[in-house]
Amino acid sequence: MIDTARRFPFLFLLPSLIAGIMAGELFPNHISVWIYLFASAFVIIIKFTKPYNFQIIEFTTPFYIFFIGILAYSINIAELFELDSLLSNITPFSNLKDYLINKNKLNISNPTICALSNAICLGDKSGLTNEVKNLFAKCGIMHIVAVSGLHVGAIYIMARKVLQLLRIRIIQSKVIAIIFIWIYAIIIGMPPSVLRAASILTYVITGELCNKSFSSLNGILACAFFTLIIAPNNINNLSFQLSYAAYIGIILIFPIFAPAQKEGNRFAKKIVASISVSVAAQLLTMPITIYYFHGTSVNSFILNILVIPLTSLLLYCDFFTLIVPSPISSLLGRCVDILGKTIIGITKLLEPINIYIDNIFMSEVSIIIYYILTFTIFTIIPKYINKF
């Protein structure tokens, strides 16, 4: 247990912080501060009286983090400094997003596809029709119009490829690509999903550049930990819950399907990898979806296999549409139009075979039991099987 805590410290610290934030709802702000001060004094006394007993020190740390969670909820740094409004109105980028939206309108003739590309590339969903929203939501692909890890990862890969073509060295290209990601995040208004994805990617790349042994799981949990320290109300945010559930599902469950990805030709391997990623993410996001919407799409991963590559292509085309001058941008705009129509057309075509189960209800206790069983089946049991 101690070795695990040293390898994955945030695996123990994050639940302690979440418990503290939830407990913070029970106490007035001034009492929360006094609780934190007494807890701090208690931990300091233990560490000074037992300075060489590392087991005691490590045992007290989660309790200390619990009280930090109580304090974080009472202070709420994000609300105190109004970070949301500050991040969404950073100049000189605040007007650039409007300029790019208008440029899309000039280059993409179809209003529905223009609204779709604005949502995918710029995070502006105001133009999406209810018909498109309902279609995507019912088929389980609504995530493609919410700029998140999928989009940030695609843009990072594109930036790296362009920099490689320019003969930029690997280390410099990684640094430039990360800077570019943060500029992109600022331009589109720093939505929480992009902020999360950019933070995680920065954490990962920084670890690689420093030649440090890096754990993806610990990185994800660390980002969640510090996000909740700053904005504890995110614990009740649906987007926050779905994002981290998907990330953790991909990290823990996706490797289990690795043997199946070694069979067949290159195309077959990519198909199997796409299915594995979708299933891994869906296994951990499904109970959250059921809890909030009382329904879920069972076979949405099939549509995701087809839609996600097309979404990446649309993102790349629209990105270059926004940065190149006319008449090249008009030509790329037509490509975006074709890709957008293809995405909507495929979704409508496969909608009749979509299996959507509604009127399902899950309590908080049943969700906890589901996650325990899922982690046991997919992470613990396979390790014991491999030993024999």
Side-chain angles (χ1 to χ4, degrees):
M1 181 69 74
I2 292 175
D3 290 338
T4 305
R6 287 171 179 169
R7 286 182 60 202
F8 307 103
F10 289 98
L11 187 62
F12 294 86
L13 299 183
L14 182 60
S16 301
L17 180 70
I18 292 172
I21 290 171
M22 296 175 70
E25 299 178 5
L26 304 175
F27 304 106
N29 290 356
H30 64 282
I31 294 179
S32 296
V33 174
W34 280 109
I35 290 173
Y36 170 74
L37 291 175
F38 279 118
S40 300
F42 174 73
V43 172
I44 290 169
I45 290 169
I46 287 179
K47 290 188 176 184
F48 272 99
T49 54
K50 303 283 186 179
Y52 302 108
N53 195 327
F54 292 103
Q55 290 189 15
I56 289 179
I57 293 172
E58 290 169 347
F59 181 75
T60 57
T61 301
F63 289 97
Y64 184 56
I65 297 299
F66 172 82
F67 293 112
I68 288 179
I70 294 177
L71 183 68
Y73 181 85
S74 65
I75 295 176
N76 202 326
I77 296 171
E79 288 186 0
L80 183 65
F81 294 99
E82 298 180 347
L83 293 182
D84 289 342
S85 60
L86 287 174
L87 291 174
S88 60
N89 293 291
I90 297 177
T91 55
F93 299 107
S94 56
N95 296 323
L96 182 55
K97 181 178 178 180
D98 294 332
Y99 167 78
L100 296 174
I101 290 172
N102 290 328
K103 187 173 182 180
N104 258 346
K105 291 178 181 178
L106 292 174
N107 293 310
I108 304 171
S109 57
N110 189 309
T112 301
I113 306 304
C114 180
L116 179 64
S117 61
N118 281 335
I120 291 173
C121 191
L122 299 172
D124 178 56
K125 292 183 282 195
S126 60
L128 285 175
T129 62
N130 290 330
E131 180 187 359
V132 172
K133 288 180 182 178
N134 293 334
L135 176 67
F136 285 4
K138 186 178 179 181
C139 294
I141 60 168
M142 192 64 182
H143 61 91
I144 70 169
V145 296
V147 182
S148 58
L150 170 68
H151 306 73
V152 170
I155 291 172
Y156 175 79
I157 292 170
M158 179 186 68
R160 286 289 311 281
K161 294 291 184 184
V162 171
L163 291 168
Q164 284 177 5
L165 291 174
L166 297 174
R167 306 288 184 179
I168 305 296
R169 294 175 63 183
I170 294 176
I171 294 177
Q172 285 86 341
S173 68
K174 287 183 177 181
V175 173
I176 294 170
I178 286 295
I179 293 172
F180 182 77
I181 286 295
W182 281 103
I183 293 173
Y184 168 75
I186 294 170
I187 289 173
I188 66 172
M190 295 285 270
S193 56
V194 174
L195 190 59
R196 283 193 296 273
S199 300
I200 292 168
L201 186 60
T202 303
Y203 192 97
V204 172
I205 300 303
T206 302
E208 291 180 357
L209 294 176
C210 296
N211 294 319
K212 299 291 184 180
S213 57
F214 176 78
S215 163
S216 297
L217 177 61
N218 206 47
I220 296 291
L221 297 177
C223 289
F225 181 87
F226 291 112
T227 299
L228 291 176
I229 287 284
I230 296 170
N233 287 341
N234 275 335
I235 193 63
N236 297 316
N237 184 284
L238 175 60
S239 175
F240 178 90
Q241 295 170 7
L242 288 174
S243 293
Y244 280 103
Y247 292 144
I248 294 170
I250 291 170
I251 290 170
L252 294 182
I253 299 175
F254 173 70
I256 297 171
F257 301 112
Q261 298 169 36
K262 297 178 181 178
E263 303 295 332
N265 56 35
R266 187 177 178 183
F267 179 75
K269 289 178 182 177
K270 287 189 176 182
I271 293 294
V272 173
S274 298
I275 295 173
S276 302
V277 169
S278 296
V279 171
Q282 190 171 359
L283 279 171
L284 263 65
T285 57
M286 185 171 62
I288 300 173
T289 305
I290 293 173
Y291 179 79
Y292 284 100
F293 302 109
H294 311 300
T296 185
S297 175
V298 177
N299 59 343
S300 62
F301 65 89
I302 298 174
L303 189 57
N304 275 286
I305 295 169
L306 300 172
V307 167
I308 288 177
L310 291 172
T311 302
S312 297
L313 285 175
L314 187 148
L315 180 66
Y316 295 148
C317 284
D318 193 34
F319 192 84
F320 284 109
T321 301
L322 295 171
I323 61 176
V324 300
S326 298
I328 300 174
S329 61
S330 299
L331 181 62
L332 288 171
R334 293 177 186 176
C335 295
V336 171
D337 191 65
I338 293 170
L339 288 167
K341 287 178 179 177
T342 305
I343 291 171
I344 294 176
I346 290 174
T347 307
K348 286 182 177 179
L349 183 66
L350 296 181
E351 183 187 7
I353 65 170
N354 178 57
I355 303 173
Y356 186 83
I357 304 174
D358 56 3
N359 295 320
I360 314 172
F361 297 87
M362 290 186 75
S363 65
E364 290 88 345
V365 175
S366 60
I367 290 175
I368 293 171
I369 294 172
Y370 173 89
Y371 281 131
I372 291 173
L373 290 174
T374 302
F375 286 126
T376 302
I377 293 169
F378 285 98
T379 61
I380 298 175
I381 292 179
K383 291 181 180 178
Y384 283 99
I385 293 173
N386 291 334
K387 287 182 179 179
F388 298 100

